[in-house]
Amino acid sequence: MPPLTLEQARAHALSSAALVAVPMDSARAERVAGYIALTARFAALLESAELAPHSEPAELFCPAPFPAEPTSEGQGL
Amino acid sequence: MSAHSAQASEAALSACERLGQALARIDATDGRIHAFTQVLRERAWREAEAVDARRARGEVLGPLAGMPYAVKNLFDIASEVTLAGSKVNRSLPPAATDAVLVQQLHKAGAVLVGALNMDEYAYGFTTENTHYGATHNPHRLGHLAGGSSGGSAAAVAAAQVPLALGSDTNGSIRVPASLCGVWGLKPTFGRLSRRGSYPFVHSIDHLGPIAQDVGTLAAAYDALQLPDPLDPGCHAQRIQPVTATLGHGTEGLRIGILGGYFHDNAGPAARAASQAVAQALGASAEVIWPDAELGRACAFVITAAEGGSLHLHSLRERADDFEPLSVDRFIAGALQPAAWYVRAQRFRRVYRDRVNELFKHWDLLIAPATPVAAPAIGTDWIEVNGQRHPCRPSLGMLTQPVSAAGCPVVSAPIWPAQAQGLPIGVQLITAPWREDLALRAAMQLQRSAVAHTKEAAL
């Protein structure tokens, strides 16, 4: 991932703030852009880590706990 | 007086006598420390009198009977508003019940004295809270107490209470414990119930105790344990008490000292503290933690995204009511691309597996908790081995890679000469669910007087 310039980070701050309806004046955009650029450096490090397509996220949604014991009218019948 | 004899003499007092001492100490010192945001005198007296009444009736008392304690103000306290260090939360209704961990300490007989200062919504390592004032380090007023559980560590360091509860997402128990010279435990991710505490980052939030000595830390930890199926982040299936094995020592344990990232990002005092612990525990082998820098990056990205998302509604409506030191970080987190967050969560699984693989070869690993001892309040930059780092995010650079993997850690208070009278913490890190080993090592360090708390000259 190429390094993010402060100008790009500022542009991202202004456009994405509009997308999620967060008020953003130019002074705030400047400060927020600094943090976006910092996070971008961490994100770039993670981009450089090798991940296989089957590497799944750390936590997965579980619809309900798996049943401890089969029930008489339950699975497998 | 040794910690053991101090404990014994405290236990001989009634709950009301101990509470009276704690309140007197708070009254005498908190104007300079600013650890408390609220002292709950009426409730505390009611609880202390109830303990003494049970004692008078000859009833069996809990293991923490009569011990005064306080909680970071993100824990629910029945009938009080849970501020989480914010101004925004003042408009919330009071909590209906106590947080689960407060209920657990109540069952053990402890007496709740009040609520403690913190960084707003736990996003910080310094407790420089603009709404409620900065918490000062009891060992050097005008210096940072650390954060985000800064009030918790400072209250214990100032001997206002022997025990406090805090939270730790990226280091928020270990950083203030390090800077204030007290014992802190960040348990395994998923060990203790978080129900009834105000969240910061659901994927990484931990709760835990901070204490004046290892015996109190372990007794509190045992009392706090309760498998909680109603907390989706609580993975513990049963209680695993540690108090009975606390004195078993570390003989036979495979102990290493972390090099690489943890050495490179530690200043001279932090390195000396780590070496002192390694020497005391007979460890000489240098061990490399896998992908430490990536682990920190992963925690940083997840924290920003989840923290920002959690507060998005308030950031739209009331950004000017947020802490000026962290509001722009919250907003930046809410605006970051989803691809960054998803990649961080995918990396976290791989990372966890690599860290768990490391613990097939080691039982306990040693690393400094902070790169430096407590900087002055208001410090913007710190220098570590000739490298300049922004102070506020960088105080957690040695704790973040460990909590990203969810491992339990005890922070042990060390007083190296290089820190010129200030303490610095050393992390005792073990495999997930092995808090017992970290606490055994902590007890050994306390018994040999290598690690200990010190009376603050207030």
Side-chain angles (χ1 to χ4, degrees):
Chain A
M1 196 166 84
L4 191 73
T5 66
L6 266 180
E7 200 170 309
Q8 289 170 320
R10 197 181 307 116
H12 174 80
L14 288 165
S15 61
S16 57
L19 200 65
V20 293
V22 171
M24 181 77 66
D25 58 27
S26 59
R28 171 149 282 152
E30 196 70 32
R31 296 191 302 270
V32 168
Y35 288 114
I36 289 174
L38 175 63
T39 316
R41 289 202 287 277
F42 286 113
L45 273 178
L46 291 169
E47 285 278 345
S48 69
E50 259 188 53
L51 284 180
H54 57 264
S55 290
E56 297 195 12
E59 299 297 335
L60 289 179
F61 169 74
C62 176
F66 189 78
E69 299 290 338
T71 57
S72 54
E73 72 264 13
Q75 306 93 358
L77 296 178
Chain B
M1 188 184 287
S2 72
H4 180 72
S5 58
Q7 265 187 297
S9 63
E10 282 166 10
L13 298 174
S14 72
C16 285
E17 285 170 323
R18 293 184 73 179
L19 175 60
Q21 287 183 351
L23 292 175
R25 180 74 176 167
I26 293 165
D27 290 341
T29 59
D30 208 49
R32 285 166 283 161
I33 304 299
H34 210 78
F36 279 79
T37 51
Q38 191 178 16
V39 179
L40 299 162
R41 291 173 200 273
E42 197 178 316
R43 173 176 169 151
W45 283 116
R46 203 168 55 239
E47 288 189 0
E49 284 161 7
V51 170
D52 286 340
R54 288 201 296 276
R55 194 193 304 264
R57 289 195 296 268
E59 292 179 19
V60 176
L61 299 175
L64 301 175
M67 179 177 288
Y69 77 102
V71 297
K72 185 174 185 175
N73 73 25
L74 56 64
F75 285 85
D76 282 355
I77 299 172
S79 305
E80 307 295 337
V81 173
T82 307
L83 294 171
S86 74
K87 180 177 172 184
V88 170
N89 277 25
R90 287 179 198 163
S91 54
L92 294 180
T97 56
D98 288 339
V100 168
L101 296 194
V102 174
Q103 292 176 28
Q104 288 298 102
L105 289 187
H106 180 75
K107 280 184 214 161
V111 172
L112 180 62
V113 173
L116 298 161
N117 203 11
M118 58 181 283
D119 289 289
E120 182 178 74
Y121 294 129
Y123 208 174
F125 290 122
T126 61
T127 314
E128 296 167 296
N129 189 307
T130 302
H131 311 307
Y132 302 100
T135 295
H136 288 243
N137 192 311
H139 293 288
R140 193 162 299 164
L141 299 177
H143 283 237
L144 294 170
S148 63
S149 310
S152 305
V156 173
Q160 295 172 331
V161 285
L163 170 69
L165 296 185
S167 69
D168 188 318
T169 302
N170 289 302
S172 285
I173 286 174
R174 292 161 288 159
V175 169
S178 173
L179 301 194
C180 288
V182 294
W183 295 91
L185 169 64
K186 182 206 78 65
T188 306
F189 179 79
R191 169 72 80 177
L192 299 180
S193 173
R194 305 170 305 181
R195 198 151 47 91
S197 65
Y198 202 89
F200 172 29
V201 181
H202 295 108
S203 297
I204 324 181
D205 285 346
H206 310 63
L207 305 177
I210 290 174
Q212 67 177 5
D213 58 74
V214 179
T216 302
L217 193 74
Y221 168 64
D222 277 354
L224 292 168
Q225 290 189 54
L226 175 78
D228 183 2
L230 297 180
D231 173 359
C234 187
H235 303 311
Q237 302 282 317
R238 63 182 189 281
I239 291 168
Q240 295 182 301
V242 296
T243 309
T245 59
L246 203 52
H248 285 193
T250 55
E251 202 178 320
L253 296 187
R254 300 163 297 173
I255 304 176
I257 180 165
L258 289 177
Y261 175 92
F262 290 90
H263 181 78
D264 298 344
N265 290 297
R271 287 178 182 176
S274 246
Q275 276 301 336
V277 167
Q279 194 177 344
L281 298 179
S284 56
E286 183 181 281
V287 179
I288 299 299
W289 184 272
D291 296 325
E293 194 174 11
L294 288 169
R296 182 181 182 221
C298 167
F300 195 99
V301 169
I302 291 171
T303 297
E306 290 192 25
S309 165
L310 185 65
H311 296 287
L312 185 55
H313 177 75
S314 301
L315 291 167
R316 283 185 190 125
E317 307 287 329
R318 306 179 58 181
D320 290 342
D321 286 337
F322 273 66
E323 165 65 62
L325 291 169
S326 57
V327 62
D328 298 318
R329 274 199 286 167
F330 271 121
I331 293 174
L335 303 183
Q336 75 182 32
W340 294 358
Y341 176 75
V342 173
R343 188 162 186 91
Q345 284 288 15
R346 289 176 64 214
F347 175 77
R348 195 180 186 200
R349 180 184 285 271
V350 173
Y351 177 65
R352 175 199 61 193
D353 294 345
R354 288 176 188 157
V355 170
N356 287 344
E357 181 65 29
L358 180 71
F359 280 109
K360 288 181 181 168
H361 308 285
W362 299 97
D363 297 306
L364 186 133
L365 296 170
I366 296 163
T370 50
V372 294
I377 289 172
T379 297
D380 289 322
W381 297 89
I382 55 172
E383 194 177 301
V384 182
N385 307 323
Q387 292 272 347
R388 206 160 163 259
H389 299 274
C391 177
R392 293 181 181 89
S394 302
L395 286 173
M397 66 201 299
L398 301 177
T399 49
Q400 262 181 305
V402 184
S403 32
C407 297
V409 189
V410 169
S411 178
I414 310 294
W415 305 79
Q418 293 87 338
Q420 298 172 330
L422 284 172
I424 197 157
V426 169
Q427 299 185 86
L428 308 171
I429 309 162
T430 56
W433 311 114
R434 296 310 307 264
E435 286 86 345
D436 58 325
L437 299 182
L439 285 159
R440 275 167 53 185
M443 181 54 96
Q444 184 157 316
L445 292 170
Q446 181 177 276
R447 282 185 173 162
S448 59
V450 171
H452 55 89
T453 51
K454 263 189 190 175
E455 191 175 333
L458 290 166

